[in-house]
Amino acid sequence: MAIKLENVGIAVRDLEAAIAFFTDLGLILVGRDTVSGEWADTAVGLDGNHARIALLQTPDGRGQLELFEYIHPDAIESDPTRPNDIGMHRVAFSVDDIDKALETAARHGCHPLRGVATYGDAYKLTYLRGPSGILLMLAEKLHND
């Protein structure tokens, strides 16, 4: 059986703000749509499912995010995920300049949870909160092997 990761879906409180954040970081907006109807109810498992969505991808075309803002049912606010919570809790991106990426994130009010760490002599990395409390990891490879 073949398997391929298509995208990671993330519910956001403000689709436009999330698109602005991720495109400023370097992702490319591939498309937008509004989804609803019986097929959406069945696929997602929510009656009356109605959402605005946007698909973004990395410049190399290998990674995609699907962002969605619920119109109906109302989105449910919850506490932001912590790094040690069980379940999916972060999206990781490789960047070629972590300092520049953090400057971009800061323009959106997003800052590292604690700081930038160095993992051996391999990576500089940090966790930060993105739009809607999304937990992100940014990592810069220190050497091109």
Side-chain angles (χ1 to χ4, degrees):
M1 177 181 86
I3 189 167
K4 176 182 166 190
L5 179 65
E6 289 296 326
N7 65 56
V8 173
I10 303 173
V12 297
R13 139 180 350 105
D14 181 337
L15 186 63
E16 298 309 317
I19 290 169
F21 175 81
F22 285 110
T23 56
D24 280 357
L25 274 181
L27 273 65
I28 300 162
L29 180 62
V30 176
R32 298 169 176 257
D33 203 354
T34 300
V35 297
S36 64
E38 186 177 336
W39 74 268
D41 292 359
T42 300
V44 177
L46 291 172
D47 291 334
N49 182 52
H50 189 187
R52 295 182 327 124
I53 66 171
L55 187 64
L56 298 103
Q57 75 179 27
T58 56
D60 65 4
R62 296 177 64 175
Q64 293 188 330
L65 287 181
E66 181 180 314
L67 305 175
F68 39 96
E69 178 182 351
Y70 274 92
I71 299 166
H72 185 270
D74 290 337
I76 299 170
E77 291 283 340
S78 61
D79 291 333
T81 305
R82 296 169 303 170
N84 61 333
D85 284 350
I86 299 296
M88 189 181 137
H89 62 82
R90 68 147 170 81
V91 177
F93 292 99
S94 295
V95 296
D96 59 0
D97 185 336
I98 198 166
D99 295 323
K100 185 175 178 183
L102 288 172
E103 288 173 15
T104 299
R107 289 196 300 271
H108 294 267
C110 305
H111 305 281
L113 298 183
R114 181 167 294 166
V116 176
T118 302
Y119 176 68
D121 64 351
Y123 289 96
K124 286 173 50 175
L125 55 96
T126 190
Y127 277 35
L128 65 133
R129 291 262 174 227
S132 298
I134 299 166
L135 194 56
L136 303 172
M137 183 182 85
L138 300 177
E140 175 186 342
K141 191 172 185 178
L142 294 175
H143 306 286
N144 292 327
D145 298 327

